[in-house]
Amino acid sequence: MNHLKKKNSFSRRDLLYKALIFVATVAVIVYFLPRDGKFNYQFDIYKPWKYGQLIATFDFPIYKDDVVVKREQDSLLSSFQPYYQLDKSIEKEAIAKLKGNFQSQLKGILPSNDYLRYIERTLREIYASGIISTEDALHLEKDSTNYIRKIDDKLANSQSTTTIYTVKKAYEYLLLADTVHYNRDILRQCALNEYIFPNLTYDRKRSEAAKKEILDNYSWANGVVVSGQKIIDRGEIVSPETYNILESLRRESIKRSESLGQKRLILGGQILFVSILTLCFMLYLELFRKDYYERKGRLSLLFILIVLYSVITALMVTHNIYTVYILPYAMLPIIIRVFLDSRTAFLTHVITILICSITLRFPHEFILTQLAAGLVAIFSLRELSQRSQLFRTALLVILTYAAIYFAFELITENDLSKLNVRMYTYFIINGVLLLFTYPLLFLLEKTFGFTSNVTLVELSNINNDLLRQMSETVPGTFQHSMQVANLAAEAAIRIGAKSQLVRTGALYHDIGKMENPAFFTENQSGGVNPHKNLNYEQSAQVVISHVTDGLKLAEKYNLPKAIKDFISTHHGRGKTRFFYISWKNEHPGEEPDDEKFTYPGPNPFSKETAILMMADAVEAASRSLPEYTEESISNLVEKIIDSQMEEGYFKECPITFKDVATVKAVFKEKLKMIYHTRISYPELKK
């Protein structure tokens, strides 16, 4: 009963965990998706319509061409008269200032009062016509405005711009209006510019209202398309008239999408679309990669990559940042292929591309190019162990992009001279950015706890510190590890396991023997055996300790968890049989403490760790054969591996009977080659 309760509790917790992943993924992606209207058709004038028959689903006006609209509006606005407010107080202040200065300054300059009356009379005439600022005068000249509406005591009267003064023109008019009766030199001494100020101010509010009234009466359309009307069919040439109708449909579609109701519909569609794709991906994991849910690093990597690419694409489209074709989407399947597997890499890539496509105006060509590039990236980079492989993959991805897009243009374009050369530049940039996968893999390894082939290749270099120390401290164990690595790697290749992982794990599986080298047969010399001074329990503990000592060394040298797994599982939960059987022989009728003779384990849990256990036992036992014949080697391999299977060491491994049979065959073949009989050379007769 308690077991059932525990199981139900676990199931609910597991279901809640998956539900949270689902909701979080959908929520983050949909939040960043643009919700403006889309008109997902690409068309050009005098080119064939490449889609199916297009029928109007609602009534919409046929808008005039932008050039026509500008021409007609300019024609209407040519008669537009801007409003200017006349400020009479400026005239009064200027005249008052003139009269005040006459008493204090001008009386000694002007020869008679006639000059004062002339200046006053002329100023009143100028102010009555109106003075505008130089800036306003330039605007009127730029807009080719011939008349303005002058507002005087709430009355607006039309007035020609030729009768309006600027400060400069008003000053010149004062000097030159009557040169017969009044001397210019005398007038210049009066500082007349001190009495001239603009009294006409541009009335923006009234002017804009008047302009809006004119434009409001303008008709933007020259026809109507009714719902159900055929617009164009596949293969028909897009004429200028049809092009105008299609542009009108595009504008109207975007305008309709800006309403609150339409945005809610778009949001609902996006949630449904992303939810379905995310659910499909999670169903795939549930059916084929269920263990990923238990390995948080793998699950995090998958969903973070999907969300990251979706969000970046959405932001680029929303803010119109360059083009999405420069984004190295092929990096996603490469990363997943290197750390996980090809099937998951491809499906993750498909899901991501489909989600990203709904943000684009032309999704079909995007999907075609990205899926093809992703497939090429996966197949060209099955195991990344050298930087040159990534350069080759980047080049292949660029060529795939170019080939697919060129094929697409041949299908849709009727003039090769109009090919979009700029797109091929984007593909080259994309390939260059793809090269950054190499340093990114290192960061992902450290963040999510993965081990890439690049790291494994570096670790398998026998010149690194730990392996060099091993070759000097325990040369016998080092040679044993090398032989095990060769056997295990070949077997892994034959059954489709990770050969580089097995090889590297085999090199490090016995590093714990460096702590007590002399206690292991392969490192003993001169017939000295320190086990003679120990009882069987103590000897067993010394031998068993090479596993725990190996894990400590692995921790000290920061070896990846994948390598530590080989150290801890290469003996599984097996016993030190020599000391265990010897103890039982000396203590008949007594039961030993099994734990003192049992390795800490665990048992192998992957194909790779199972292969290493078999290779380790077979290689060690093969050294004790009295003679190396085909039969003796075959019997040895069969006996040891069958014994391991009977002991149940491989119960938790995803390894099949067929795999085991293949591994046996490989071991027999390799051992025969290693221990083949050499011919004896004859001695020279004297």
Side-chain angles (χ1 to χ4, degrees):
M1 194 69 177
N2 290 333
H3 173 71
L4 290 175
K5 286 182 180 179
K6 186 177 180 181
K7 186 175 181 182
N8 289 335
S9 175
F10 177 77
S11 298
R12 287 173 190 159
R13 190 166 61 250
D14 190 44
L15 184 63
L16 179 62
Y17 172 64
K18 294 172 183 176
L20 287 174
I21 293 173
F22 174 81
V23 172
T25 302
V26 174
V28 173
I29 292 175
V30 172
Y31 177 80
F32 286 96
L33 289 178
R35 274 173 276 285
D36 55 336
K38 298 293 177 187
F39 181 71
N40 296 323
Y41 297 103
Q42 187 178 16
F43 54 90
D44 292 294
I45 196 168
Y46 297 125
K47 291 186 178 180
W49 180 254
K50 53 194 174 186
Y51 309 100
Q53 188 181 65
L54 183 62
I55 304 292
T57 56
F58 54 85
D59 298 346
F60 65 91
I62 303 173
Y63 294 103
K64 297 175 183 177
D65 184 74
D66 290 342
V67 177
V68 175
V69 169
K70 188 175 187 312
R71 186 174 65 246
E72 292 181 353
Q73 287 186 344
D74 287 346
S75 178
L76 286 173
L77 293 175
S78 63
S79 59
F80 168 69
Q81 298 177 7
Y83 284 78
Y84 281 81
Q85 180 72 46
L86 179 65
D87 188 353
K88 291 184 177 180
S89 64
I90 294 176
E91 177 187 347
K92 291 178 182 179
E93 292 172 3
I95 298 298
K97 184 178 180 181
L98 174 67
K99 290 180 179 180
N101 288 344
F102 177 75
Q103 296 297 329
S104 60
Q105 301 173 16
L106 301 178
K107 207 167 189 179
I109 299 174
L110 298 176
S112 67
N113 290 342
D114 288 343
Y115 272 88
L116 176 63
R117 284 190 289 272
Y118 164 75
I119 294 172
E120 182 180 348
R121 183 175 65 251
T122 307
L123 280 174
R124 291 186 185 278
E125 178 188 341
I126 291 171
Y127 277 116
S129 293
I131 304 172
I132 61 173
S133 66
T134 304
E135 184 181 356
D136 285 342
L138 291 173
H139 278 302
L140 292 174
E141 184 180 353
K142 180 182 178 182
D143 296 338
S144 302
T145 304
N146 297 320
Y147 289 89
I148 65 167
R149 303 286 288 180
K150 184 168 71 176
I151 305 170
D152 185 2
D153 294 332
K154 298 184 180 180
L155 293 177
N157 299 309
S158 181
Q159 180 176 334
S160 173
T161 54
T162 58
T163 62
I164 301 172
Y165 294 91
T166 61
V167 173
K168 181 181 178 182
K169 286 182 179 179
Y171 179 76
E172 291 174 350
Y173 183 74
L174 269 171
L175 293 178
L176 304 173
D178 189 356
T179 56
V180 176
H181 301 96
Y182 303 100
N183 191 308
R184 285 183 294 176
D185 294 333
I186 294 175
L187 291 173
R188 282 195 184 97
Q189 296 177 42
C190 296
L192 297 178
N193 57 305
E194 294 182 4
Y195 315 110
I196 303 172
F197 302 97
N199 67 336
L200 285 177
T201 307
Y202 178 63
D203 192 331
R204 182 178 298 278
K205 185 177 180 181
R206 290 194 185 188
S207 299
E208 293 296 333
K211 187 183 291 186
K212 184 177 182 298
E213 185 179 353
I214 294 173
L215 294 178
D216 284 346
N217 294 325
Y218 174 74
S219 175
W220 294 81
N222 56 7
V224 176
V225 173
V226 297
S227 179
Q229 179 179 331
K230 173 195 165 186
I231 298 175
I232 195 170
D233 205 347
R234 184 186 294 276
E236 293 181 5
I237 301 299
V238 180
S239 64
E241 295 78 15
T242 307
Y243 182 86
N244 204 19
I245 293 173
L246 291 170
E247 277 293 324
S248 301
L249 177 59
R250 182 183 64 80
R251 288 172 59 179
E252 197 65 22
S253 298
I254 294 174
K255 187 187 296 183
R256 284 170 174 258
S257 72
E258 291 174 352
S259 66
L260 182 60
Q262 186 66 26
K263 284 190 175 181
R264 285 176 178 171
L265 289 175
I266 293 173
L267 176 61
Q270 289 175 342
I271 292 173
L272 183 61
F273 183 82
V274 177
S275 297
I276 291 172
L277 290 178
T278 306
L279 184 61
C280 289
F281 182 65
M282 295 185 75
L283 285 174
Y284 160 79
L285 294 177
E286 184 69 28
L287 293 172
F288 303 105
R289 297 291 183 270
K290 198 167 185 176
D291 59 313
Y292 287 2
Y293 284 112
E294 299 168 6
R295 302 180 183 182
K296 301 300 186 291
R298 297 186 175 190
L299 197 66
S300 300
L301 177 68
L302 291 172
F303 283 96
I304 285 174
L305 287 175
I306 292 174
V307 171
L308 182 65
Y309 271 94
S310 301
V311 169
I312 292 176
T313 303
L315 290 175
M316 289 185 72
V317 173
T318 302
H319 300 287
N320 198 24
I321 303 172
Y322 215 53
T323 173
V324 296
Y325 281 97
I326 67 168
L327 278 179
Y329 290 94
M331 186 184 289
L332 183 147
I334 288 176
I335 291 171
I336 298 175
R337 175 64 190 89
V338 168
F339 289 138
L340 303 178
D341 62 273
S342 298
R343 185 188 296 182
T344 305
F346 179 65
L347 188 65
T348 309
H349 185 59
V350 170
I351 295 295
T352 306
I353 294 303
L354 290 177
I355 292 174
C356 292
S357 69
I358 64 171
T359 65
L360 304 176
R361 187 176 175 186
F362 312 118
H364 48 283
E365 61 190 51
F366 173 79
I367 294 172
L368 288 173
T369 52
Q370 299 301 341
L371 289 186
L375 278 172
V376 169
I378 291 170
F379 290 127
S380 65
L381 200 64
R382 297 186 180 183
E383 288 190 356
L384 177 61
S385 56
Q386 297 176 352
R387 283 170 292 186
S388 59
Q389 292 175 289
L390 196 57
F391 279 95
R392 183 190 64 189
T393 297
L395 179 61
L396 289 174
V397 167
I398 293 172
L399 294 176
T400 303
Y401 273 132
I404 293 293
Y405 192 79
F406 181 66
F408 183 79
E409 285 195 306
L410 290 179
I411 294 169
T412 58
E413 189 63 69
N414 59 2
D415 186 357
L416 291 178
S417 63
K418 295 181 180 179
L419 295 178
N420 190 354
V421 179
R422 186 170 52 183
M423 286 296 294
Y424 299 95
T425 305
Y426 297 153
F427 297 150
I428 294 173
I429 296 173
N430 188 304
V432 172
L433 292 177
L434 192 61
L435 297 176
F436 286 91
T437 306
Y438 196 85
L440 184 60
L441 287 173
F442 176 77
L443 295 177
L444 293 174
E445 277 190 65
K446 300 304 178 185
T447 305
F448 296 100
F450 292 112
T451 306
S452 69
N453 262 28
V454 178
T455 301
L456 293 175
V457 169
E458 291 173 353
L459 288 173
S460 62
N461 183 352
I462 59 175
N463 289 315
N464 72 50
D465 292 342
L466 190 54
L467 290 183
R468 189 173 64 252
Q469 183 182 343
M470 184 179 176
S471 67
E472 295 169 355
T473 309
V474 281
T477 300
F478 180 75
Q479 290 302 320
H480 160 72
S481 298
M482 293 283 287
Q483 294 284 17
V484 171
N486 292 332
L487 285 174
E490 182 65 27
I493 293 171
R494 297 283 187 92
I495 68 170
K498 298 175 181 177
S499 60
Q500 186 59 56
L501 176 61
V502 175
R503 179 184 294 278
T504 310
L507 291 175
Y508 288 90
H509 79 284
D510 271 344
I511 57 172
K513 292 182 179 180
M514 286 195 292
E515 296 299 314
N516 297 293
F519 284 89
F520 300 93
T521 309
E522 66 269 22
N523 301 311
Q524 293 172 359
S525 59
V528 178
N529 186 353
H531 285 288
K532 292 179 180 179
N533 301 321
L534 303 175
N535 60 41
Y536 294 127
E537 289 97 332
Q538 291 173 330
S539 293
Q541 286 301 303
V542 171
V543 172
I544 289 170
S545 67
H546 87 273
V547 173
T548 53
D549 290 339
L551 291 172
K552 290 176 184 177
L553 277 173
E555 193 71 34
K556 178 182 176 182
Y557 284 86
N558 295 317
L559 295 182
K561 183 181 180 302
I563 303 302
K564 294 177 186 175
D565 289 340
F566 287 99
I567 297 172
S568 61
T569 62
H570 73 277
H571 286 295
R573 288 287 294 166
K575 291 181 172 59
T576 52
R577 297 187 66 83
F578 178 86
F579 301 113
Y580 180 73
I581 293 171
S582 298
W583 189 95
K584 291 194 75 172
N585 289 337
E586 287 189 9
H587 301 79
E590 296 182 35
E591 287 299 322
D593 184 353
D594 284 358
E595 284 301 314
K596 291 183 178 180
F597 297 93
T598 305
Y599 287 97
N603 288 326
F605 50 79
S606 66
K607 283 186 178 182
E608 290 76 18
T609 51
I611 291 170
L612 179 63
M613 174 181 267
M614 292 185 242
D616 181 44
V618 166
E619 202 284 331
S622 68
R623 295 172 179 268
S624 62
L625 283 174
E627 58 176 348
Y628 296 103
T629 64
E630 184 173 339
E631 183 180 359
S632 65
I633 290 173
S634 178
N635 289 338
L636 176 71
V637 171
E638 291 286 345
K639 177 184 175 182
I640 289 177
I641 296 179
D642 286 346
S643 173
Q644 290 175 333
M645 293 179 68
E646 288 172 9
E647 294 283 341
Y649 295 143
F650 308 136
K651 284 182 179 179
E652 299 174 14
C653 292
I655 194 167
T656 64
F657 286 113
K658 182 180 179 182
D659 292 336
V660 173
T662 304
V663 170
K664 287 179 179 179
V666 171
F667 288 171
K668 292 173 187 177
E669 178 185 331
K670 297 291 287 184
L671 289 173
K672 287 174 193 174
M673 294 173 64
I674 294 171
Y675 297 116
H676 69 279
T677 305
R678 296 180 180 273
I679 60 171
S680 58
Y681 288 88
E683 292 184 3
L684 183 64
K685 293 181 180 179
K686 294 182 180 179

